[in-house]
Each structure stands twice: as C-alpha cells, then as structure tokens.
Amino acid sequence: MADSAPSIHIQVCYARPEQQVLVDHIVAAGTTIQQAIESSGIIDKMPEIDISVFRVGIYSKIKTLDTILREHDRVEIYRPLIADPKDSRRRRANKTERETKKPD
C-alpha cells in the first residue's frame, strides 16, 4: 500500500458585513487556492461567492487561483468593491470641508 500524499493545514475565509466564515481545512500538499476553496465547502455556506469574479489572496496579498498553498496559509476571498475608495474618501473630505466652513 502506497503512503498517502502529505497534507497541510489551511484556512479559507470570507466575510460579509454582518457575518464572517472561517473554515479550517486539511488539503494535500500541492493544492491550489481554487481547489482549496472548492473542497472547503465555503461556497455551500456562502452561495454568492463566485471565484471567477471575486479576488482571492493569502494574508492580504492578492494571489491567482492557481497559487500553490503552503502550511498554515489563510486563503481570503474578497467581495467586489461597490464604490471606488478614492471617490468615497474625496466625497467625505468635501462633505467635512463644507460642514466646517462658517458662513460670513
């Protein structure tokens, strides 16, 4: 009987504004991010996840779906932005400026 392939421990996580899901998962060495996400069951828990559209990363660094995982990696699935962060900051700054201006 052949020895089984070595395994590694990883986490797969995804967050909505109101809920976070963190799945501890054991996968075979050589597993890609895409394979880990698909085998983790997280898509069953969060059906809105579309890994063909959503960006993914490991510890806040954007990665591709074919990235090979290492022991203790945390795979993060990022929701698409609904607003450009630069535009949002600009609007807040303009609003604050208008509110702090005193009429003559």
Side-chain angles (χ1 to χ4, degrees):
M1 180 180 216
D3 290 346
S4 62
S7 58
I8 60 173
H9 298 81
I10 63 158
Q11 292 182 321
V12 179
C13 62
Y14 176 73
R16 296 177 181 154
E18 72 286 351
Q19 179 184 15
Q20 300 173 30
V21 174
L22 182 63
V23 178
D24 289 318
H25 196 40
I26 298 173
V27 296
T31 296
T32 65
I33 288 177
Q34 180 171 354
Q35 292 167 330
I37 291 170
E38 290 170 348
S39 67
S40 71
I42 199 163
I43 295 175
D44 294 332
K45 295 176 184 177
M46 305 292 213
E48 72 271 16
I49 294 174
D50 181 351
I51 60 173
S52 68
V53 177
F54 289 21
R55 298 179 103 187
V56 296
I58 297 174
Y59 291 113
S60 302
K61 295 191 187 290
I62 298 293
K63 302 290 183 180
T64 60
L65 290 171
D66 61 353
T67 299
I68 303 295
L69 295 171
R70 296 183 296 182
E71 180 74 12
H72 301 298
D73 276 347
R74 183 181 68 219
V75 175
E76 301 163 339
I77 305 166
Y78 307 118
R79 291 178 291 120
L81 296 175
I82 56 173
D84 181 348
K86 289 179 184 176
D87 288 340
S88 296
R89 280 191 295 272
R90 195 174 298 116
R91 279 194 299 273
R92 284 193 307 270
N94 288 339
K95 180 180 177 189
T96 301
E97 185 179 306
R98 284 191 310 269
E99 289 173 352
T100 58
K101 269 189 176 178
K102 306 237 189 250
D104 291 341

